[in-house]
């Protein structure tokens, strides 16, 4: 049947199949035709469906069966429906006829300019009701062979024996309580232990061409994700890092995990056939464990370009933001005057409709609760003020709203426990010629969600950076207009804990433009990146004192490890020189430095939340000295071992030196007769036995003659 269809299609196009000799086409030997993929080893076991080049053709079934005289009318109806979705090629609509009855067979083939148009046509019209008797069944032409391979009789699937997998959390049981990190340099990707006691990293796993663009840890550290042309893959295990699952998504560019690691979002964009058209975007949401697509979203780049940080040209990333804590219960995206909130039980809209918010500009989830913070700018030339709203999900009840006047810009910052929300508001002055900045501070967990207004002492100071203390009540702000801005620290508690914001201190004239709090709070790094050439100040906020100042020249990244014990600073390949990373202690002591050419990425492996209760953690903190004795003894043993190793190294160098001196003396003795002959028989090598004489030597260097003329007066 397939051969007959091809011949009929060829005849329609005026192609003489007898003149085509496919055997004359010669390809390079080998299954890969001499073209080897960098990540071929990732998918060599999988039976991938290859691109047949027919991805732009769809089959539309359940069409009316009509005689030849109604053929043009039916063709016109089909062109009207499918021509709205994309450009149908010339002679791109073909309805076969029954040669006996001269009636249509109830299906047709439609060929678009691009595969993306064909996919959209399938998505939009599969199940389309032309009339009561004709409901379209649309499929891709590429799927035809797969449908034909379905057996007529059902056979039970083969049961595979159970093989236990590796413990994906085994790295958390390290006896030395070390943390892991991943780096990319050149074509290599490496996972290493941070062995601060030994003052060097310990290799875990290394692989060349492990990814084609970047790697990414899952939020709880269970998986390491890689990105390839065919899609994405996740890896894990004790030390071998076997591939656990792959997610087919051709030309994938970006990925994003849900907070609880249940789902993986993948993104790709495709160039349109018409340069005037926007890029085509495909977003898939996979179940991480099974690899099944739970929901996909397709459309133009314009459909996904509202709000966000704009990590990809024309599209804000992440398009979908996850809420509801680590339960992965909800995810949402922003649209034109709507926020679409989906629940993961059915992957459909809550209440089957989006939340309508006129002119909504931005939104963000509470890190711990299903609460949305929405920002709406001013409307009607300032007649309708801007506002920030807090909305409870799934009830969509508005918990709190604050109107804001003369707003130029607005940005929202959640504290990690969801206790506080800071809204940075840039406002116009009365003359509208300049702006000033203030903060609206929401106390989320308190009754009626009270709001405080915080303005800096100098309202005209530019806000360079803002950061909440993780799990704490303090925040830091870098502000100022000069080359050395100030850094101020505030607390959401006053001295008597009455629930008023208070300033702790201001550090004047710092070379800093970025803030990096320790994940455990208390300590912060004031970093001067970019124009400040890697200035670092390690600051203790409890004691309000500087612990150390340092520099990592041209540093581009600062990363705390998940425990808050160590800090990594890195110079990536955006600079041509000094690529590599430094590991520091929390108080600013440089532990070791690793240089790597073409250094691209440094990422600490995240840790899941502690299983200890707050009461147990408090008890450990109170009795820390008792617990620390064991580790202090281990540190002392390691220090002694390192000292012993240093002594052995020095002894080895000394022995090598003495051996070299001994060989030199032996050679000197063997050449004694030769030296005696050179001294005209003098046998001694001792300089004291020789008499020093001074000899004057005169040497004529140059002679010149010159004729002088004299004039004699008569």
């Amino acid at each position: 049947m397939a051969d007959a269809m091809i011949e009929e299609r060829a005849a329609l196009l005026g192609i003489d199949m007898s003149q085509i000799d496919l055997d004359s086409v010669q390809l390079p030997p080998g299954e890969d035709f001499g073209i080897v993929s960098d990540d071929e080893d990732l998918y060599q076991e999988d039976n991938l469906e290859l691109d047949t080049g027919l991805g732009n053709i769809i089959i539309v079934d359940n069409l009316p069966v009509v005689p030849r005289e109604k053929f043009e009318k039916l063709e016109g109806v089909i062109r009207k429906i499918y021509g709205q979705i994309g450009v149908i090629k010339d002679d791109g609509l073909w309805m076969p006829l029954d040669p006996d009855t001269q009636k249509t067979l109830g299906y047709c083939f439609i060929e678009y300019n691009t595969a993306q148009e064909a996919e959209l046509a399938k998505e939009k019209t599969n199940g389309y009701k032309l009339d009561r008797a004709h409901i379209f069944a649309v499929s891709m032409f590429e799927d035809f062979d797969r449908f034909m391979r379905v057996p007529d009789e059902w056979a039970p699937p083969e049961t595979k024996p159970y093989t236990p997998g590796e413990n994906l959390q085994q790295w958390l049981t390290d006896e030395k309580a070390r943390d892991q990190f991943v780096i990319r340099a050149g074509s290599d990707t490496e996972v290493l232990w941070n062995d601060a006691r030994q003052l060097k990293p310990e290799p875990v796993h290394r692989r060349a061409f492990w990814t084609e663009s970047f790697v990414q840890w899952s939020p709880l550290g269970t998986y390491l994700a890689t990105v390839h042309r065919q899609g994405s893959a996740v890896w894990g295990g004790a030390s071998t890092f076997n591939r656990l699952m792959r997610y087919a998504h051709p030309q994938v560019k970006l990925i994003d995990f849900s907070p609880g690691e249940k789902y993986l979002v993948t993104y790709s964009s495709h160039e349109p056939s018409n340069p005037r058209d926007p890029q085509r975007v495909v977003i898939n949401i996979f179940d991480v464990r099974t690899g099944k697509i739970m929901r996909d979203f397709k459309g133009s780049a314009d459909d996904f370009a509202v709000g966000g940080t704009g990590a990809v040209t024309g599209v804000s990333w992440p398009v979908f933001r996850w809420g509801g804590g680590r339960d992965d219960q909800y995810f949402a995206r922003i649209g034109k005057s709507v926020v679409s909130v989906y629940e993961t039980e059915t992957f459909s809209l809550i209440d089957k409709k989006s939340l309508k918010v006129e002119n909504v500009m931005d939104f963000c989830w509470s890190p711990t609760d299903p609460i949305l913070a929405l920002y709406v700018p001013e409307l009607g030339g300032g007649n309708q003020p801007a506002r920030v709203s807090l909305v409870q999900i799934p009830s969509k009840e508005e918990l709190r709203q604050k109107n804001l006047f003369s707003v130029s810009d607005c940005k929202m910052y959640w504290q990690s426990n969801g206790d506080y929300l800071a809204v940075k508001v840039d406002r116009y002055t009365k003359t509208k010629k300049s702006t000033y900045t203030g903060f609206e501070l929401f106390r989320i967990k308190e009754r009626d969600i009270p709001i405080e207004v915080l303005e800096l002492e100098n309202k005209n100071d530019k806000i360079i950076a803002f950061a909440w203390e993780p799990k704490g009540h303090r925040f830091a702000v870098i502000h100022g207009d000069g080359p050395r801005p100030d850094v101020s620290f505030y607390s959401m508690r006053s001295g008597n804990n009455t629930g008023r914001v208070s300033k702790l201190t201001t550090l004047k004239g710092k070379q800093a433009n970025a803030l990096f709090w320790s994940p455990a709070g208390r300590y912060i790094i004031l970093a001067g990146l970019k124009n400040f050439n890697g200035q670092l100040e390690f600051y203790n906020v409890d004691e309000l004192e500087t612990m150390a100042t340092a520099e990592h020249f041209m540093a581009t990244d600062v990363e705390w490890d998940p425990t808050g014990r160590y800090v990594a600073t890195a110079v990536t390949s955006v600079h041509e020189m000094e690529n590599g990373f430094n590991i520091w202690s929390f108080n600013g002591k440089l532990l070791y430095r690793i240089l790597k050419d073409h250094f691209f990425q440094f990422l600490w492996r995240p840790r899941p939340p502690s299983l200890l209760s707050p009461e147990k953690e408090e008890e450990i903190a109170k009795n820390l000295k008792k617990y620390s004795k064991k580790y202090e003894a281990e540190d002392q043993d390691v220090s002694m071992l390192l000292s012993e190793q240093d002594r052995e190294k020095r002894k080895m160098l000394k022995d090598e030196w003495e051996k070299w001196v001994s060989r030199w003396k032996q050679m000197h003795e063997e050449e004694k007769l030769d030296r005696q002959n050179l001294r005209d028989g003098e046998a001694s090598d001792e300089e004291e036995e020789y008499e020093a004489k001074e000899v004057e030597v005169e040497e004529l260097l140059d002679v010149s003659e010159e004729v002088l003329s004299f004039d004699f007066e008569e």
Side-chain angles (χ1 to χ4, degrees), residues 277-295:
D277 294 338
Q279 287 185 331
R280 190 87 191 140
V281 169
V282 178
I283 298 175
N284 292 330
I285 302 179
F286 293 91
D287 184 293
V288 169
R289 291 191 176 182
T290 65
K292 179 183 177 183
I293 295 181
M294 308 305 295
R295 178 75 192 261

Side-chain angles (χ1 to χ4, degrees), residues 267-270 279-283 297-301 304 315:
Y267 163 94
S268 67
S269 61
H270 308 271
Q279 287 185 331
R280 190 87 191 140
V281 169
V282 178
I283 298 175
F297 297 84
K298 299 174 183 177
S300 70
F304 301 97
V315 173

Side-chain angles (χ1 to χ4, degrees), residues 142 253 410 501 569 577 602 638:
E142 288 183 327
K253 289 184 174 65
C410 182
V501 65
T569 58
M577 301 187 306
F602 181 104
V638 171

Side-chain angles (χ1 to χ4, degrees), residues 536 551-553 557 559 567-571 578 580-584 590-595 599 602 604:
L536 305 170
E551 181 186 52
H552 186 177
F553 185 61
D557 300 274
E559 293 272 352
V567 183
T569 58
V571 179
E578 300 293 327
F581 63 93
N582 292 356
I583 300 295
W584 312 75
L590 179 60
L591 301 177
Y592 60 89
R593 183 184 187 194
I594 303 294
L595 294 178
F599 188 69
F602 181 104
W604 290 102

Side-chain angles (χ1 to χ4, degrees), residues 362-375:
D362 195 12
F363 80 98
C364 53
W365 287 97
S366 162
T368 55
D369 303 297
I371 298 175
L372 278 175
L374 307 173
Y375 165 61

